Amino acid sequence: MKSAVIVFPGSNCDRDMAVALEAATGTKPHMVWHRETELPEGLGLIALPGGFSYGDYLRSGAIGANSPVMREVKAAAERGVAILGVCNGFQLLTEAGLLPGALLRNAGIRFVCRDVPLTVASSQTAFTSRYQADEEISIPVAHHDGNYFADDDTLNRLEGEGRIVFRYAENVNGSARDIAGIVNEAGNVLGMMPHPERMIEPAHGGKDGRRLFEGLVEALA
Amino acid sequence: MKTRVHVTLKNGVLDPQGKAIHHALETLGFDGVNDVRQGKLIELDLDENVTDAEIEDMCRKLLANMVIEDFEIEKEAA
């Protein structure tokens, strides 16, 4: 399967994401600079990596969400291409309007960087087919602005439609309803603050993140 | 034309930075501070022909995130 990683000025998890995608797909992903106005043809998956695009100026993800390539990412999302946004990628997806809500400064103000227990809230998505519902997994977080916020109507809708995919078993940033990751209505766009690409081999401390990539590749095959 | 855009968090949106400032003011011995909210001030130098509607559009599309923030436009008297 062909995949791509979008690279912004200030992305810093793009290469980790590329390693995870290559491990899962068997092919090196295309690394696409954010100024590009076209995406490679035939992509099955586009990843928006973690980092600090544009130094988090204005708001995390706000400037990058208006980069030229994002128009193509939006069009791909509408065609049903799987989009995975991790950390800054999640912030970019909310700023771009591909996912509802916003990521606020962590409630405790501190940058949080450690492994965090998550609960798989839905195993019914293309991203989570290799997990059991309600399974607890461990994935690292590393963010300052991960406090998920949306109004009550939006939160109720996300909950009612089964679109909350991961919840913090230990809420490290104040996120509404312990939300760590959500999907869009069509289910092909996932945004999550924790970093599955940093938990794909035993040397990372576990392989709980690897199943996300493997399950996704299987679901998209 | 100088125009100032004030961006503030909506009521009810948690502002941990405002809380930290509030706490620091109390630590400094300032009494009577009931609450602190932190916002942003963005100064724009605009051509005369930029319309109010365009400034609003700038705010909605980029300067403020309407999910969590409100904005107020203040135009400097010519």
Side-chain angles (χ1 to χ4, degrees), chain A residues 27-47:
Chain A
T27 326
K28 276 194 197 311
H30 295 265
M31 305 303 281
V32 178
W33 184 237
H34 75 118
R35 303 291 304 174
E36 296 291 337
T37 51
E38 273 176 42
L39 291 170
E41 288 205 3
L43 290 178
L45 167 65
I46 300 169

Side-chain angles (χ1 to χ4, degrees), chain A residues 58-59 62-63 66 95 101-109 147 149-150, chain B residues 9 12-14 16-17 19-20 40 42 61-65 67-69:
Chain A
L58 190 64
R59 296 177 304 277
I63 310 283
N66 293 291
E95 282 286 346
L103 283 312
L104 299 170
R105 180 57 38 107
N106 291 345
I109 306 182
N147 178 355
F149 174 89
Chain B
L9 284 172
V13 175
L14 183 73
Q17 293 173 107
K19 277 205 165 70
K40 288 183 193 118
I42 300 168
K61 283 194 176 143
L62 182 65
L63 303 182
N65 178 337
V67 176
I68 49 172
E69 294 169 327

Side-chain angles (χ1 to χ4, degrees), chain A:
Chain A
M1 186 188 63
K2 276 173 82 170
S3 63
V5 179
I6 310 293
V7 185
F8 296 87
S11 294
N12 64 9
C13 301
D14 44 327
R15 285 168 293 175
D16 292 8
M17 183 64 84
V19 169
L21 291 180
E22 185 175 356
T25 65
T27 326
K28 276 194 197 311
H30 295 265
M31 305 303 281
V32 178
W33 184 237
H34 75 118
R35 303 291 304 174
E36 296 291 337
T37 51
E38 273 176 42
L39 291 170
E41 288 205 3
L43 290 178
L45 167 65
I46 300 169
L48 302 181
F52 301 86
S53 57
Y54 285 95
D56 282 350
Y57 293 172
L58 190 64
R59 296 177 304 277
S60 305
I63 310 283
N66 293 291
S67 279
V69 78
M70 288 304 289
R71 192 172 311 163
E72 297 307 309
V73 172
K74 281 183 200 173
E78 274 165 31
R79 290 197 305 273
V81 174
I83 316 273
L84 169 64
V86 169
C87 198
N88 191 221
F90 187 10
Q91 295 160 344
L92 283 156
L93 289 172
T94 58
E95 282 286 346
L98 284 167
L99 289 173
L103 283 312
L104 299 170
R105 180 57 38 107
N106 291 345
I109 306 182
R110 288 195 179 85
F111 191 97
V112 181
C113 181
R114 62 184 173 88
D115 295 351
V116 169
L118 303 178
T119 309
V120 178
S122 170
S123 58
Q124 303 295 309
T125 76
F127 301 89
T128 48
S129 57
R130 290 265 177 109
Y131 299 102
Q132 304 295 317
D134 301 324
E135 181 183 349
E136 191 171 297
I137 59 175
S138 175
I139 306 273
V141 300
H143 60 246
H144 210 168
D145 297 323
N147 178 355
Y148 185 77
F149 174 89
D151 59 42
D152 281 334
D153 286 349
T154 305
L155 292 170
N156 289 338
R157 201 170 68 241
L158 288 173
E159 220 151 35
E161 294 173 356
R163 288 166 54 192
I164 300 172
V165 179
F166 297 107
R167 289 186 204 264
Y168 298 106
E170 175 197 349
N171 193 336
V172 290
N173 53 27
S175 285
R177 307 200 190 174
D178 304 322
I179 288 173
I182 55 171
V183 283
N184 66 341
E185 215 170 336
N188 64 314
V189 179
L190 169 70
M192 62 190 292
M193 287 311 296
H195 288 268
E197 80 282 7
R198 292 191 191 178
M199 202 53 120
I200 63 164
E201 48 188 271
H204 290 163
K207 292 170 69 175
D208 280 348
R210 194 179 187 98
R211 284 184 281 160
L212 184 147
F213 297 98
E214 290 175 347
L216 184 58
V217 169
E218 188 180 64
L220 297 175

